[in-house]
Amino acid sequence: MERKNAWKTYSEEDISKLNAISAEYVKFLDNGKTERECVTETVAAAQKAGYVDLEQAIAQQRALNPGDCVYSDFMGKALMLFKIGKQPIFKGLNIVGAHIDSPRIDLKQNPLYEDTDFAYLDTHYYGGIKKYQWVAMPLAMHGVVAKKDGTLVNIVIGEDPSDPVIGISDLLPHLSRDQMSKKGSVVIEGEELNIIIGSKPLNDEEKEPVKAAVLALLKEKYDIEEEDFLSAELEVVPAGAARDFGLDRSMIIGYGHDDRVCAYASVNAILSIDETPEYTCCCLLADKEEIGSVGATGMHGKHFENAVAELVNATGEYSDLLVRRALTACRMLSCDVSAGYDPNFAGVFERKNAAYLGRGVCFNKYTGSGGKGGSNDANAEYMGKLRRLMDDANVNFQTAELGKVDQGGGGTIAYICANYGMEVIDSGVAVLSM
Ligand code: MN
């Protein structure tokens, strides 16, 4: 049951459409390196497409009618777009959902220190990173500083070609005998992810003059002080733009494919709906997936459920029962990346049930690990309907598991949405070097 390579099926027109979408996706990657930036980008695109703020509609007690488009920006880190359909909300929504947080290195609340003529930022990594990959490479800092007076300072350092970058040092090979004999997980340890941000002392400062110089720069450029780090969310990510990969330009290399490739496709999908859909459509962009979908902006939070309640209310009679019926009747693609088959590491894959680059969107009936633990395990009936939809629309797709049985595994937001009783399946794009 080998799935065909989609490249072989494309017409010239298909290829030019694909190139146009890919170019837009590269921009999305570059402009959205954090969950906040992804929300900002998407809200701007949604507003341009005529979407209005759900909060505003609620404040004005506006009724929502079929064809209306609203968005709900939750804390600037999670986002939902809705296009109201002809059927009542309790008949369920058609949902595509992806996550917009990616593994990275966050600054600690008290990060700044000086050691032996270097100024450093101390960090705590976020999500599942291979720590040794983050040293000796250019890094950029993105995020916000919330000042006591309520102002929010946006910070992006290291992306403009004229910007400086920052980074973490690694040991030279000449002195790495002990380091190179360590297990991969401890070659670089969490507390060693200290970011160098300066080495030039402030002339007339006796105590910690390099740190003082950096603070003077931050004061000058952003009007922030050391104590302002206490209320900041500053995320350190690989610096630089996404770009074409391969001599044939058939791939894209960049930070944050997981899961912005699915987020971009999901946003693109809902914004491309011209006519009033039969059922209300929803694009759901979740935060905190990489650390278990926890917190107010993660999928375990109540913002999605509350937004659906608001839709029930704004489109007709409200009742708790109608909200429950709406949530249960949903159909969802939980969109997240799959591990692309890598011939260089063939041993961790089972070839018949692996995802391949270029073979179309990948459906995972289940993810999880070790005996399907923690997976959603979508219904066969739902997968059957999706097969028919895909084949009727002539869309390439494949199916896969996340590697060989007992090799590892992973989870997504699918099982959380499935708790409402809705039909949901994992689907997404195959990615190499995830
Ligand atoms: Mn993911």
Side-chain angles (χ1 to χ4, degrees):
M1 286 207 297
E2 188 151 314
R3 310 298 297 183
K4 59 179 179 278
N5 189 313
W7 286 108
K8 296 178 185 167
T9 69
Y10 291 153
S11 65
E12 244 172 73
E13 194 196 338
D14 292 334
I15 297 275
S16 70
K17 278 187 192 164
L18 182 146
N19 287 339
I21 290 177
S22 299
E24 287 302 309
Y25 169 52
V26 166
K27 280 190 217 159
F28 183 78
L29 276 180
D30 291 344
N31 296 334
K33 282 197 170 183
T34 67
E35 58 280 18
R36 285 179 189 265
E37 290 171 357
C38 286
V39 167
T40 305
E41 276 293 297
T42 307
V43 166
Q47 285 173 338
K48 214 172 132 193
Y51 279 68
V52 299
D53 190 350
L54 179 62
E55 291 269 309
Q56 263 177 31
I58 294 166
Q60 296 163 354
Q61 295 185 305
R62 263 188 53 192
L64 294 177
N65 298 303
D68 283 352
C69 299
V70 290
Y71 67 87
S72 175
D73 171 348
F74 195 66
M75 297 184 173
K77 297 195 272 189
L79 182 70
M80 291 156 285
L81 309 181
F82 299 100
K83 189 170 180 99
I84 309 297
K86 295 172 194 161
Q87 296 289 333
I89 302 293
F90 73 81
K91 295 277 190 181
L93 285 67
N94 286 344
I95 307 169
V96 282
H99 68 92
I100 47 175
D101 61 318
S102 289
R104 59 180 190 251
I105 300 177
D106 286 346
L107 299 198
K108 287 184 180 177
Q109 261 187 298
N110 180 13
L112 187 60
Y113 69 98
E114 176 167 340
D115 191 344
T116 324
D117 301 339
F118 288 109
Y120 285 99
L121 290 171
D122 201 350
T123 67
H124 193 144
Y125 66 95
Y126 171 96
I129 65 168
K130 286 173 146 180
K131 300 177 195 89
Y132 66 79
Q133 292 181 331
W134 290 72
V135 297
M137 70 181 296
L139 299 174
M141 186 160 63
H142 294 236
V144 295
V145 177
K147 302 212 309 185
K148 275 203 294 187
D149 64 6
T151 53
L152 200 64
V153 183
N154 272 297
I155 291 184
V156 180
I157 302 171
E159 298 296 352
D160 191 279
S162 67
D163 277 359
V165 293
I166 53 180
I168 303 163
S169 60
D170 194 6
L171 209 45
L172 59 166
H174 318 66
L175 298 180
S176 296
R177 191 178 298 156
D178 288 351
Q179 185 196 39
M180 294 306 283
S181 65
K182 288 180 182 173
K183 256 174 67 182
S185 58
V186 293
V187 165
I188 297 291
E189 301 200 48
E191 280 296 352
E192 290 169 346
L193 295 173
N194 300 317
I195 297 168
I196 298 176
I197 56 163
S199 67
K200 186 167 72 181
L202 198 70
N203 288 337
D204 47 5
E205 196 78 23
E206 275 178 39
K207 194 176 160 254
E208 301 189 315
V210 182
K211 177 178 158 181
V214 164
L215 281 170
L217 278 172
L218 290 175
K219 178 75 186 167
E220 186 194 322
K221 184 135 196 234
Y222 299 104
D223 193 27
I224 55 173
E225 286 160 16
E226 188 174 6
E227 289 234 333
D228 291 326
F229 280 117
L230 294 177
S231 48
E233 282 175 10
L234 292 166
E235 308 178 1
V236 174
V237 300
R243 58 198 298 183
D244 288 346
F245 188 83
L247 299 185
D248 58 2
R249 298 178 181 271
S250 59
M251 296 164 274
I252 293 166
I253 186 169
Y255 166 72
H257 283 309
D258 179 6
D259 181 32
R260 289 167 192 139
V261 64
C262 297
Y264 177 74
S266 300
V267 171
N268 203 43
I270 196 163
L271 296 185
S272 316
I273 304 171
D274 294 325
E275 286 165 20
T276 301
E278 190 64 21
Y279 296 95
T280 294
C281 292
C282 169
C283 168
L284 183 62
L285 302 182
D287 181 29
K288 299 280 187 282
E289 193 273 346
E290 297 290 353
I291 58 168
S293 296
V294 291
T297 53
M299 204 59 231
H300 280 298
K302 295 280 181 256
H303 55 280
F304 169 67
E305 187 178 323
N306 291 344
V308 170
E310 295 287 1
L311 294 188
V312 168
N313 188 50
T315 52
E317 265 324 274
Y318 177 85
S319 83
D320 177 59
L321 187 61
L322 287 177
V323 176
R324 292 175 192 229
R325 283 181 184 163
L327 291 164
T328 305
C330 289
R331 301 144 294 263
M332 177 173 186
L333 296 182
S334 167
C335 308
D336 210 341
V337 291
S338 269
Y341 180 81
D342 187 342
N344 219 15
F345 298 99
V348 302
F349 296 93
E350 187 271 283
R351 291 197 65 133
K352 300 190 305 308
N353 292 282
Y356 295 84
L357 267 68
R359 295 195 193 174
V361 60
C362 179
F363 291 102
N364 308 77
K365 187 175 184 300
Y366 44 87
T367 55
S369 59
K372 299 188 176 181
S375 81
N376 164 51
D377 211 358
N379 286 322
E381 294 88 335
Y382 187 46
M383 184 62 212
K385 280 182 196 164
L386 289 169
R387 276 176 58 206
R388 194 185 67 222
L389 265 178
M390 299 298 279
D391 285 344
D392 288 354
N394 203 18
V395 180
N396 296 290
F397 75 93
Q398 54 184 328
T399 59
E401 291 196 22
L402 189 52
K404 267 187 182 167
V405 176
D406 287 339
Q407 264 299 325
T412 64
I413 61 170
Y415 75 97
I416 306 162
C417 301
N419 286 338
Y420 292 114
M422 66 174 73
E423 292 283 14
V424 48
I425 190 166
D426 282 297
S427 62
V429 176
V431 170
L432 219 58
S433 291
M434 189 199 304

